[in-house]
Amino acid sequence: MNYVEDTPDLTTAIGTISEVHGPVVEVNCCRLPPLRQALSAELDGEIYMFEVHQHIDQHHIRAITLHETSGLYRGMMVYDSGASLHVPVTSDCLGRLVNIFGEPLDGGTPLSAELFRNIHAPPPGLSDTLETSGILETGIKVIDLLCPFAAGGKTGLFGGAGVGKTVLVMEFMHAISAIHHGVSVFAGVGERIREGHELWHEMRKAGVMPQTVMLFGQMDESPGVRFRVGLSALTYAEYLRDTMQKEVLFVMDNIFRFVQAGSEISSLLGRMPATVGYQPTLHTEVAELQDRILSTRKGSITSVQAVYVPADDMSDPAVNAILKHLDTTVILSRQQAAKGVYPAVDPLCSTSKLMDRHTLGDFHYTIAEGVREAMARYTELEDIITMLGIEELTEKDRLIVMRARKLQRYLTQPFAVTAAFTGMEGKSVCLSDTLDDCQGFLKGDYDDIPEKECYFRGTMKEIRP
């Protein structure tokens, strides 16, 4: 069932709570509800929601709470909702901040639901889906040049703590609103309350919030909330795509915390851990989320997912499980950030499936490869420069290094969403200008310009009109 027109019935008694183990509740049932069924209990006028995850025997189930467990007790009556968890969807959801149930977190009025959609709805059939449709320009020079986004595709921002994943995500949302006049759905998975509060206010200051709906499953909430808030957010994205026929940017920060929540639930249910302690269902759970991020004839969903990389180890099983589903991989480097290069994108490790002559055209592909080649040669020579000095290089290599350093600085950029903190006006650069400027660097047109003049600029027309 994809949607219902009214709220599910919450009055059918199904059994009583027999045990409570943290966020896991064991229920003694008169009949077994299906897996993923939403159950409820009431205490002092407050509704507690559960989701069925395991059948123990003919009369006992294990469910994960979607609220705090304080107040639950043995013998408490549990009711069957008659369906899996549904969220209220409406055209008025834009501009709102809500939780996993679609309840307001911004102090506003509850959403006036036009209908309720199942967060476990199946993806569209293969015959109804469309393939990715070329480049989605973001106005961010290094992204559009070296690892372009696929319109209707999936992009991952990989990096450790503090390298700028969330700032980059916010700038993408600003670009979708300003350049493409689309809408954004933001899923904050396991966000710290401080981060969520700051992000919400920054989005409002940047003028992005009216075209955005934000959902938060905070770090202090049940693992069931952190595990399912991504599906709730995706349900809103599907509604905006299918019913309102919008071009949707679906942002998830951070999908690694979704994996962690799944691992926590798996351990609580007593499953044997698999590789490096992750849940044995890791690949299935990631695929269940990723396979719903699709474009149809009604509209498209383009996904940007921030991925925390534990200990900066790209071989981590969770990172690899996510990596398999992506069209574009943006690697954020701690070394780049240490040099003051923001966005801290590693130009040699970041890739996109669009990087071929057929998709990009000869001009873009040639310029991108020329920039990569110069950067790669500079990286090879860095140790020699550190030990012996740049004077020991050949004249040709010195020229390459000089141009690569200028390109590295040119690919930095002030962002609109950080203007209040940096004091620099945000710059959005169209792809054609980026290509023209990079061609000029490679040809030597800017050899006479000092490196510092290339740092945190928009286009080179600001220096040489």
Side-chain angles (χ1 to χ4, degrees):
M1 179 170 61
N2 279 345
Y3 60 87
V4 293
E5 300 208 349
D6 297 301
T7 54
D9 179 25
L10 299 176
T11 59
T12 307
I14 197 173
T16 58
I17 294 176
S18 57
E19 293 183 22
V20 180
H21 299 283
V24 177
V25 172
E26 190 170 308
V27 182
N28 186 355
C29 301
C30 56
R31 59 178 176 81
L32 291 181
L35 294 177
R36 297 185 173 178
Q37 189 90 327
L39 309 179
S40 68
E42 186 174 355
L43 178 67
D44 298 331
E46 184 175 348
I47 300 295
Y48 289 76
M49 296 296 295
F50 316 98
E51 186 178 68
V52 180
H53 275 257
Q54 198 173 61
H55 289 174
I56 303 172
D57 56 35
Q58 292 180 337
H59 297 288
H60 293 85
I61 62 166
R62 284 198 182 105
I64 299 293
T65 62
L66 300 177
H67 288 88
E68 291 184 2
T69 54
S70 58
L72 298 181
Y73 57 87
R74 299 173 87 177
M76 192 174 187
M77 292 297 297
V78 176
Y79 301 90
D80 187 359
S81 70
S84 54
L85 184 64
H86 283 62
V87 292
V89 290
T90 169
S91 56
D92 297 331
C93 65
L94 291 172
R96 300 302 303 272
L97 174 68
V98 298
N99 65 9
I100 183 177
F101 307 106
E103 299 167 346
L105 296 174
D106 53 10
T109 58
L111 297 180
S112 55
E114 296 170 5
L115 49 86
F116 286 78
R117 285 184 72 119
N118 184 356
I119 71 166
H120 296 291
L126 285 176
S127 59
D128 298 324
T129 60
L130 300 177
E131 62 181 354
T132 54
S133 54
I135 293 177
L136 181 75
E137 285 195 36
T138 64
I140 301 172
K141 294 180 285 189
V142 66
I143 299 287
D144 292 341
L145 175 68
L146 299 176
C147 42
F149 283 12
K154 306 181 188 78
T155 298
L157 307 179
F158 292 81
V163 293
K165 296 186 296 296
T166 301
V167 171
L168 205 50
V169 157
M170 289 169 58
E171 189 67 13
F172 293 144
M173 295 169 74
H174 184 272
I176 286 293
S177 175
I179 300 174
H180 302 283
H181 306 291
V183 298
S184 301
V185 177
F186 179 88
V189 183
E191 290 280 344
R192 301 171 186 87
I193 191 167
R194 170 186 57 79
E195 291 177 334
H197 188 266
E198 289 175 356
L199 180 64
W200 179 45
H201 283 286
E202 286 165 13
M203 298 279 284
R204 293 168 71 186
K205 287 177 186 175
V208 179
M209 202 61 209
Q211 295 302 314
T212 303
V213 55
M214 303 180 76
L215 287 89
F216 279 101
Q218 295 169 16
M219 189 174 281
D220 64 337
E221 295 190 80
S222 159
V225 171
R226 288 179 272 124
F227 191 52
R228 294 306 190 201
V229 70
L231 292 181
S232 282
L234 189 51
T235 303
Y236 280 96
E238 290 170 334
Y239 169 77
L240 293 170
R241 177 197 66 193
D242 298 338
T243 305
M244 299 183 67
Q245 300 186 1
K246 297 280 189 178
E247 302 298 310
V248 183
L249 177 68
F250 175 66
V251 178
M252 198 167 180
D253 185 11
N254 187 302
I255 192 172
F256 181 79
R257 296 197 189 111
F258 159 78
V259 172
Q260 282 184 314
S263 179
E264 194 174 334
I265 288 172
S266 184
S267 299
L268 291 166
L269 295 175
R271 297 189 189 122
M272 185 70 70
T275 312
V276 199
Y278 287 109
Q279 62 270 41
T281 52
L282 170 64
H283 290 272
T284 304
E285 290 167 2
V286 172
E288 180 185 13
L289 178 73
Q290 300 285 2
D291 287 352
R292 284 175 60 184
I293 302 172
L294 295 168
S295 298
T296 67
R297 292 174 178 82
K298 296 178 180 178
S300 70
I301 298 178
T302 302
S303 172
V304 177
Q305 303 161 24
V307 187
Y308 170 71
V309 181
D312 293 336
D313 180 13
M314 289 295 293
S315 65
D316 185 86
V319 173
N320 274 322
I322 298 164
L323 198 60
K324 295 173 183 176
H325 294 272
L326 302 177
D327 301 302
T328 301
T329 304
V330 179
I331 308 295
L332 298 177
S333 162
R334 201 171 298 282
Q335 288 74 26
Q336 292 285 88
K339 295 175 184 175
V341 175
Y342 291 102
V345 176
D346 188 323
L348 303 180
C349 296
S350 302
T351 60
S352 171
K353 76 169 193 176
L354 300 182
M355 287 298 295
D356 63 69
R357 290 184 186 276
H358 175 72
T359 305
L360 300 182
D362 284 337
F363 182 58
H364 185 167
Y365 183 82
T366 302
I367 298 299
E369 287 301 294
V371 171
R372 281 186 197 275
E373 188 177 338
M375 297 282 196
R377 184 59 180 160
Y378 173 42
T379 302
E380 291 171 5
L381 296 171
E382 274 188 311
D383 288 341
I384 296 174
I385 295 170
T386 302
M387 291 185 293
L388 303 176
I390 196 169
E391 295 79 12
E392 297 301 316
L393 301 180
T394 65
E395 186 177 341
K396 180 181 177 182
D397 280 343
R398 281 201 300 271
L399 191 62
I400 291 173
V401 167
M402 178 189 69
R403 291 174 181 172
R405 287 174 61 88
K406 289 180 181 179
L407 278 165
Q408 186 182 63
R409 282 150 181 76
Y410 169 74
L411 293 176
T412 61
Q413 189 169 344
F415 285 163
V417 295
T418 59
F421 305 100
T422 62
M424 291 184 286
E425 182 186 356
K427 306 284 187 180
S428 178
V429 182
C430 67
L431 178 58
S432 59
D433 286 342
T434 302
L435 293 175
D436 289 341
D437 287 344
C438 289
Q439 184 185 42
F441 280 109
L442 294 173
K443 287 168 60 180
D445 294 348
Y446 304 114
D447 286 355
D448 59 323
I449 292 178
E451 287 179 8
K452 64 179 181 181
E453 293 295 327
C454 305
Y455 191 55
F456 274 93
R457 295 280 182 186
T459 68
M460 295 305 290
K461 292 175 184 174
E462 297 174 13
I463 303 171
R464 186 175 291 168

Short mmCIF file of all heavy atoms in Angstrom, two decimals, residues 126-172:
data_model
loop_
_atom_site.label_atom_id
_atom_site.label_comp_id
_atom_site.label_asym_id
_atom_site.label_seq_id
_atom_site.Cartn_x
_atom_site.Cartn_y
_atom_site.Cartn_z
N LEU A 126 10.67 -0.92 -13.06
CA LEU A 126 11.73 -0.56 -14.00
C LEU A 126 11.18 0.13 -15.24
O LEU A 126 11.81 1.01 -15.82
CB LEU A 126 12.52 -1.81 -14.41
CG LEU A 126 13.49 -2.37 -13.35
CD1 LEU A 126 14.12 -3.66 -13.86
CD2 LEU A 126 14.57 -1.37 -13.02
N SER A 127 9.97 -0.27 -15.67
CA SER A 127 9.39 0.33 -16.87
C SER A 127 8.99 1.79 -16.66
O SER A 127 8.78 2.53 -17.62
CB SER A 127 8.17 -0.48 -17.31
OG SER A 127 7.20 -0.51 -16.27
N ASP A 128 8.86 2.20 -15.38
CA ASP A 128 8.42 3.58 -15.08
C ASP A 128 9.58 4.51 -14.78
O ASP A 128 9.37 5.72 -14.60
CB ASP A 128 7.48 3.57 -13.88
CG ASP A 128 6.22 2.78 -14.14
OD1 ASP A 128 5.73 2.81 -15.29
OD2 ASP A 128 5.73 2.11 -13.21
N THR A 129 10.79 3.99 -14.70
CA THR A 129 11.93 4.81 -14.30
C THR A 129 12.70 5.32 -15.52
O THR A 129 12.65 4.74 -16.60
CB THR A 129 12.89 4.02 -13.39
OG1 THR A 129 13.38 2.87 -14.09
CG2 THR A 129 12.18 3.57 -12.13
N LEU A 130 13.40 6.42 -15.31
CA LEU A 130 14.22 7.02 -16.36
C LEU A 130 15.68 6.98 -15.93
O LEU A 130 15.99 7.05 -14.74
CB LEU A 130 13.80 8.47 -16.61
CG LEU A 130 12.36 8.70 -17.06
CD1 LEU A 130 12.10 10.20 -17.19
CD2 LEU A 130 12.07 8.00 -18.38
N GLU A 131 16.58 6.92 -16.90
CA GLU A 131 17.99 6.95 -16.58
C GLU A 131 18.43 8.38 -16.27
O GLU A 131 17.69 9.34 -16.50
CB GLU A 131 18.81 6.39 -17.75
CG GLU A 131 18.68 7.19 -19.03
CD GLU A 131 19.48 6.60 -20.17
OE1 GLU A 131 20.21 5.63 -19.93
OE2 GLU A 131 19.37 7.11 -21.29
N THR A 132 19.65 8.52 -15.74
CA THR A 132 20.18 9.84 -15.46
C THR A 132 20.28 10.65 -16.75
O THR A 132 20.55 10.10 -17.81
CB THR A 132 21.57 9.74 -14.81
OG1 THR A 132 22.43 8.95 -15.64
CG2 THR A 132 21.48 9.09 -13.44
N SER A 133 20.06 11.96 -16.63
CA SER A 133 19.91 12.78 -17.84
C SER A 133 20.94 13.90 -17.90
O SER A 133 20.60 15.07 -17.86
CB SER A 133 18.50 13.37 -17.89
OG SER A 133 18.22 14.07 -16.69
N GLY A 134 22.22 13.53 -17.94
CA GLY A 134 23.26 14.53 -18.14
C GLY A 134 23.70 15.19 -16.85
O GLY A 134 23.42 14.73 -15.74
N ILE A 135 24.39 16.33 -17.01
CA ILE A 135 25.01 17.02 -15.88
C ILE A 135 24.02 17.92 -15.16
O ILE A 135 23.22 18.61 -15.80
CB ILE A 135 26.21 17.86 -16.37
CG1 ILE A 135 27.33 16.95 -16.89
CG2 ILE A 135 26.75 18.74 -15.26
CD1 ILE A 135 28.51 17.72 -17.45
N LEU A 136 24.08 17.91 -13.84
CA LEU A 136 23.34 18.86 -13.03
C LEU A 136 24.36 19.88 -12.52
O LEU A 136 25.17 19.59 -11.65
CB LEU A 136 22.67 18.17 -11.84
CG LEU A 136 21.85 19.08 -10.93
CD1 LEU A 136 20.54 19.44 -11.59
CD2 LEU A 136 21.58 18.39 -9.59
N GLU A 137 24.34 21.08 -13.10
CA GLU A 137 25.32 22.09 -12.69
C GLU A 137 25.03 22.58 -11.28
O GLU A 137 23.88 22.82 -10.92
CB GLU A 137 25.29 23.28 -13.66
CG GLU A 137 25.95 23.00 -14.99
CD GLU A 137 26.24 24.27 -15.77
OE1 GLU A 137 26.58 25.30 -15.15
OE2 GLU A 137 26.11 24.24 -17.01
N THR A 138 26.10 22.74 -10.50
CA THR A 138 25.97 23.18 -9.12
C THR A 138 26.51 24.59 -8.90
O THR A 138 26.27 25.19 -7.86
CB THR A 138 26.72 22.23 -8.18
OG1 THR A 138 28.13 22.30 -8.47
CG2 THR A 138 26.25 20.80 -8.34
N GLY A 139 27.27 25.12 -9.86
CA GLY A 139 27.91 26.41 -9.67
C GLY A 139 29.19 26.33 -8.87
O GLY A 139 29.83 27.34 -8.60
N ILE A 140 29.57 25.10 -8.44
CA ILE A 140 30.81 24.89 -7.68
C ILE A 140 31.87 24.39 -8.67
O ILE A 140 31.72 23.32 -9.27
CB ILE A 140 30.60 23.87 -6.55
CG1 ILE A 140 29.51 24.38 -5.60
CG2 ILE A 140 31.90 23.62 -5.79
CD1 ILE A 140 29.07 23.39 -4.55
N LYS A 141 32.93 25.17 -8.84
CA LYS A 141 33.87 24.95 -9.94
C LYS A 141 34.48 23.56 -9.95
O LYS A 141 34.47 22.87 -10.97
CB LYS A 141 34.98 26.01 -9.88
CG LYS A 141 34.50 27.42 -10.14
CD LYS A 141 35.63 28.45 -10.07
CE LYS A 141 36.03 28.73 -8.65
NZ LYS A 141 36.97 29.86 -8.54
N VAL A 142 35.04 23.14 -8.82
CA VAL A 142 35.76 21.88 -8.78
C VAL A 142 34.82 20.69 -9.01
O VAL A 142 35.22 19.70 -9.63
CB VAL A 142 36.54 21.73 -7.45
CG1 VAL A 142 35.60 21.62 -6.26
CG2 VAL A 142 37.49 20.55 -7.49
N ILE A 143 33.58 20.80 -8.55
CA ILE A 143 32.61 19.72 -8.74
C ILE A 143 32.21 19.63 -10.22
O ILE A 143 32.28 18.56 -10.84
CB ILE A 143 31.36 19.94 -7.87
CG1 ILE A 143 31.73 19.96 -6.38
CG2 ILE A 143 30.30 18.90 -8.17
CD1 ILE A 143 32.08 18.63 -5.80
N ASP A 144 31.77 20.75 -10.79
CA ASP A 144 31.30 20.74 -12.18
C ASP A 144 32.40 20.35 -13.15
O ASP A 144 32.13 19.75 -14.20
CB ASP A 144 30.74 22.12 -12.55
CG ASP A 144 29.45 22.44 -11.81
OD1 ASP A 144 28.82 21.51 -11.30
OD2 ASP A 144 29.10 23.63 -11.73
N LEU A 145 33.65 20.69 -12.84
CA LEU A 145 34.75 20.40 -13.75
C LEU A 145 35.22 18.95 -13.66
O LEU A 145 35.33 18.27 -14.69
CB LEU A 145 35.93 21.33 -13.43
CG LEU A 145 37.22 21.07 -14.23
CD1 LEU A 145 37.02 21.40 -15.71
CD2 LEU A 145 38.38 21.87 -13.64
N LEU A 146 35.47 18.44 -12.46
CA LEU A 146 36.17 17.17 -12.31
C LEU A 146 35.29 16.00 -11.88
O LEU A 146 35.64 14.85 -12.14
CB LEU A 146 37.31 17.33 -11.29
CG LEU A 146 38.39 18.35 -11.67
CD1 LEU A 146 39.41 18.49 -10.56
CD2 LEU A 146 39.08 17.94 -12.97
N CYS A 147 34.21 16.26 -11.20
CA CYS A 147 33.32 15.15 -10.79
C CYS A 147 31.87 15.63 -10.87
O CYS A 147 31.20 15.79 -9.84
CB CYS A 147 33.66 14.65 -9.38
SG CYS A 147 34.04 15.94 -8.17
N PRO A 148 31.38 15.87 -12.09
CA PRO A 148 30.04 16.45 -12.27
C PRO A 148 28.94 15.55 -11.74
O PRO A 148 29.04 14.32 -11.81
CB PRO A 148 29.95 16.64 -13.79
CG PRO A 148 30.94 15.70 -14.37
CD PRO A 148 32.04 15.61 -13.39
N PHE A 149 27.90 16.19 -11.22
CA PHE A 149 26.74 15.46 -10.71
C PHE A 149 25.89 14.98 -11.88
O PHE A 149 25.72 15.69 -12.87
CB PHE A 149 25.88 16.37 -9.84
CG PHE A 149 26.43 16.61 -8.46
CD1 PHE A 149 27.72 16.24 -8.13
CD2 PHE A 149 25.65 17.21 -7.50
CE1 PHE A 149 28.22 16.46 -6.86
CE2 PHE A 149 26.14 17.44 -6.23
CZ PHE A 149 27.42 17.07 -5.91
N ALA A 150 25.34 13.79 -11.73
CA ALA A 150 24.38 13.26 -12.71
C ALA A 150 22.98 13.70 -12.29
O ALA A 150 22.56 13.44 -11.16
CB ALA A 150 24.48 11.75 -12.78
N ALA A 151 22.27 14.38 -13.18
CA ALA A 151 20.88 14.77 -12.89
C ALA A 151 20.05 13.50 -12.73
O ALA A 151 19.99 12.66 -13.62
CB ALA A 151 20.33 15.63 -14.02
N GLY A 152 19.42 13.36 -11.57
CA GLY A 152 18.66 12.15 -11.29
C GLY A 152 19.54 11.02 -10.79
O GLY A 152 19.08 9.88 -10.67
N GLY A 153 20.80 11.31 -10.47
CA GLY A 153 21.73 10.28 -9.99
C GLY A 153 22.00 10.42 -8.51
O GLY A 153 21.36 11.18 -7.79
N LYS A 154 23.00 9.66 -8.05
CA LYS A 154 23.36 9.65 -6.62
C LYS A 154 24.82 10.06 -6.47
O LYS A 154 25.68 9.54 -7.18
CB LYS A 154 23.16 8.25 -6.03
CG LYS A 154 21.78 7.64 -6.24
CD LYS A 154 21.69 6.28 -5.58
CE LYS A 154 20.40 5.57 -5.95
NZ LYS A 154 20.43 4.98 -7.29
N THR A 155 25.07 10.96 -5.55
CA THR A 155 26.41 11.47 -5.28
C THR A 155 26.73 11.27 -3.81
O THR A 155 25.89 11.51 -2.94
CB THR A 155 26.50 12.96 -5.63
OG1 THR A 155 26.26 13.13 -7.02
CG2 THR A 155 27.88 13.52 -5.28
N GLY A 156 27.95 10.82 -3.54
CA GLY A 156 28.40 10.65 -2.17
C GLY A 156 29.54 11.61 -1.85
O GLY A 156 30.47 11.76 -2.65
N LEU A 157 29.45 12.28 -0.70
CA LEU A 157 30.54 13.14 -0.21
C LEU A 157 31.25 12.38 0.90
O LEU A 157 30.71 12.22 2.00
CB LEU A 157 29.99 14.46 0.33
CG LEU A 157 29.08 15.28 -0.58
CD1 LEU A 157 28.62 16.54 0.14
CD2 LEU A 157 29.80 15.65 -1.86
N PHE A 158 32.44 11.88 0.61
CA PHE A 158 33.16 11.03 1.55
C PHE A 158 34.23 11.84 2.28
O PHE A 158 34.99 12.57 1.64
CB PHE A 158 33.83 9.87 0.81
CG PHE A 158 32.85 8.88 0.23
CD1 PHE A 158 32.23 9.12 -0.97
CD2 PHE A 158 32.56 7.70 0.90
CE1 PHE A 158 31.32 8.23 -1.52
CE2 PHE A 158 31.66 6.79 0.37
CZ PHE A 158 31.05 7.05 -0.85
N GLY A 159 34.28 11.68 3.59
CA GLY A 159 35.32 12.37 4.34
C GLY A 159 35.20 12.11 5.82
O GLY A 159 34.13 11.71 6.32
N GLY A 160 36.29 12.32 6.54
CA GLY A 160 36.28 12.19 7.99
C GLY A 160 35.62 13.38 8.63
O GLY A 160 34.99 14.22 7.97
N ALA A 161 35.78 13.48 9.93
CA ALA A 161 35.15 14.58 10.68
C ALA A 161 35.84 15.90 10.39
O ALA A 161 37.07 15.97 10.35
CB ALA A 161 35.19 14.27 12.17
N GLY A 162 35.05 16.95 10.16
CA GLY A 162 35.59 18.31 10.08
C GLY A 162 36.21 18.72 8.77
O GLY A 162 36.97 19.68 8.72
N VAL A 163 35.88 18.03 7.67
CA VAL A 163 36.46 18.41 6.37
C VAL A 163 35.48 19.18 5.48
O VAL A 163 35.81 19.53 4.36
CB VAL A 163 37.00 17.18 5.61
CG1 VAL A 163 38.18 16.58 6.33
CG2 VAL A 163 35.91 16.13 5.38
N GLY A 164 34.26 19.43 5.97
CA GLY A 164 33.35 20.32 5.23
C GLY A 164 32.21 19.64 4.51
O GLY A 164 31.65 20.22 3.58
N LYS A 165 31.81 18.44 4.93
CA LYS A 165 30.71 17.74 4.24
C LYS A 165 29.40 18.50 4.37
O LYS A 165 28.69 18.71 3.37
CB LYS A 165 30.55 16.32 4.81
CG LYS A 165 31.73 15.40 4.60
CD LYS A 165 31.44 13.97 5.05
CE LYS A 165 31.18 13.86 6.53
NZ LYS A 165 32.35 14.21 7.36
N THR A 166 29.06 18.94 5.58
CA THR A 166 27.77 19.59 5.80
C THR A 166 27.69 20.94 5.09
O THR A 166 26.65 21.30 4.52
CB THR A 166 27.51 19.76 7.31
OG1 THR A 166 27.54 18.47 7.93
CG2 THR A 166 26.17 20.40 7.57
N VAL A 167 28.79 21.70 5.09
CA VAL A 167 28.81 23.00 4.39
C VAL A 167 28.58 22.79 2.90
O VAL A 167 27.82 23.53 2.25
CB VAL A 167 30.14 23.73 4.65
CG1 VAL A 167 30.24 24.96 3.76
CG2 VAL A 167 30.26 24.13 6.10
N LEU A 168 29.23 21.77 2.34
CA LEU A 168 29.07 21.48 0.91
C LEU A 168 27.63 21.07 0.60
O LEU A 168 27.05 21.49 -0.41
CB LEU A 168 30.05 20.39 0.50
CG LEU A 168 30.49 20.31 -0.96
CD1 LEU A 168 30.96 21.67 -1.48
CD2 LEU A 168 31.60 19.27 -1.12
N VAL A 169 27.04 20.27 1.48
CA VAL A 169 25.65 19.86 1.31
C VAL A 169 24.73 21.07 1.31
O VAL A 169 23.81 21.19 0.48
CB VAL A 169 25.27 18.88 2.46
CG1 VAL A 169 23.77 18.85 2.69
CG2 VAL A 169 25.77 17.48 2.14
N MET A 170 24.94 22.02 2.22
CA MET A 170 24.12 23.22 2.27
C MET A 170 24.25 24.05 1.01
O MET A 170 23.26 24.61 0.51
CB MET A 170 24.51 24.06 3.48
CG MET A 170 24.12 23.46 4.82
SD MET A 170 24.88 24.32 6.20
CE MET A 170 24.29 25.98 5.93
N GLU A 171 25.46 24.11 0.45
CA GLU A 171 25.66 24.88 -0.78
C GLU A 171 24.94 24.23 -1.96
O GLU A 171 24.40 24.91 -2.83
CB GLU A 171 27.15 25.02 -1.06
CG GLU A 171 27.48 25.98 -2.20
CD GLU A 171 27.17 27.45 -1.89
OE1 GLU A 171 26.92 27.77 -0.69
OE2 GLU A 171 27.16 28.27 -2.83
N PHE A 172 24.91 22.89 -1.99
CA PHE A 172 24.16 22.20 -3.04
C PHE A 172 22.68 22.54 -2.96
O PHE A 172 22.03 22.78 -3.98
CB PHE A 172 24.33 20.68 -2.93
CG PHE A 172 25.71 20.18 -3.20
CD1 PHE A 172 26.22 19.11 -2.50
CD2 PHE A 172 26.51 20.78 -4.15
CE1 PHE A 172 27.50 18.65 -2.73
CE2 PHE A 172 27.80 20.33 -4.40
CZ PHE A 172 28.29 19.26 -3.68
#
